[in-house]
Amino acid sequence: LAHWVAAIRELFEEVGVLLCVTQSGESIDMKQEGLRERLAKKRQGLIAGSIDFLTLLESERLFCAAASLSYFSHWRTPEEFSTRFDTRFYLAPLPADQEPLATSEEVAHSLWTTPEQALKLCAAGTLPMIFPTFSALRTLADFDSLDRLFEEYRLR
């Protein structure tokens, strides 16, 4: 469960997408007056370390929408490599009325594109990526929609 909550927190910190629901289980209404601005300010507080994620959630009466995430894969480098990573990939539909940030304090450069286009850019040498990312995108590129992917892998 900690990995799922961490994925939700990281998604919010890095690109401003918040996978949360209200106490009644409803999606967040980003059109609610002042909500978008409050969340943007609290996101800055998370990055600055002046607020933690639990406090943010409690202050807005929100709950992590862990059910919106589907576990996709887990990659860990072998011990013999000096540069190590241990990462999990999750899939989720983009919540209504939310757009990922183009750049942020956590992301120096971002590109929102299809898996197929990302693989083409990688092959051309203009978009470097580590193998786990390549592998995940290679799998995603075989599907024309998130629904078809979920169907194939029985993720929902």
Side-chain angles (χ1 to χ4, degrees), residues 79-95:
E79 290 183 22
E80 62 265 16
F81 290 94
S82 59
T83 302
R84 308 278 321 276
F85 60 81
D86 183 350
T87 190
R88 288 162 175 79
F89 288 85
Y90 297 89
L91 303 172
L94 183 65

Side-chain angles (χ1 to χ4, degrees), residues 104-115:
S104 73
E105 305 78 6
E106 300 254 335
V107 179
H109 176 74
S110 64
L111 171 68
W112 297 99
T113 188
T114 64

Side-chain angles (χ1 to χ4, degrees), residues 5-148:
V5 172
I8 291 169
R9 185 198 69 234
E10 286 297 309
L11 183 64
F12 184 59
E13 285 181 12
E14 292 182 13
V15 296
V17 172
L18 187 58
L19 297 178
C20 285
V21 295
T22 64
Q23 187 172 7
S24 64
E26 299 294 318
S27 298
I28 302 171
D29 180 5
M30 295 303 280
K31 294 176 185 168
Q32 180 186 32
E33 187 176 336
L35 180 61
R36 192 176 303 274
E37 294 77 18
R38 284 195 319 273
L39 289 174
K41 186 174 182 179
K42 290 176 181 179
R43 183 182 157 276
Q44 292 299 318
L46 273 176
I47 293 166
S50 61
I51 187 174
D52 61 43
F53 194 53
L54 178 59
T55 301
L56 179 150
L57 295 175
E58 289 174 340
S59 71
E60 295 292 336
R61 297 184 181 144
L62 296 174
F63 297 84
C64 289
S68 69
L69 285 174
S70 293
Y71 176 81
F72 189 60
S73 64
H74 178 198
W75 291 80
R76 186 179 316 168
T77 46
E79 290 183 22
E80 62 265 16
F81 290 94
S82 59
T83 302
R84 308 278 321 276
F85 60 81
D86 183 350
T87 190
R88 288 162 175 79
F89 288 85
Y90 297 89
L91 303 172
L94 183 65
D97 300 322
Q98 294 193 47
E99 290 291 325
L101 300 170
T103 61
S104 73
E105 305 78 6
E106 300 254 335
V107 179
H109 176 74
S110 64
L111 171 68
W112 297 99
T113 188
T114 64
E116 186 175 90
Q117 182 61 25
L119 293 170
K120 287 179 184 176
L121 293 171
C122 180
T126 58
L127 182 62
M129 64 179 72
I130 60 174
F131 184 74
T133 303
F134 176 87
S135 180
L137 289 173
R138 179 61 257 145
T139 300
L140 294 175
D142 290 337
F143 296 90
D144 61 1
S145 72
L146 192 57
D147 289 337
R148 296 276 300 126

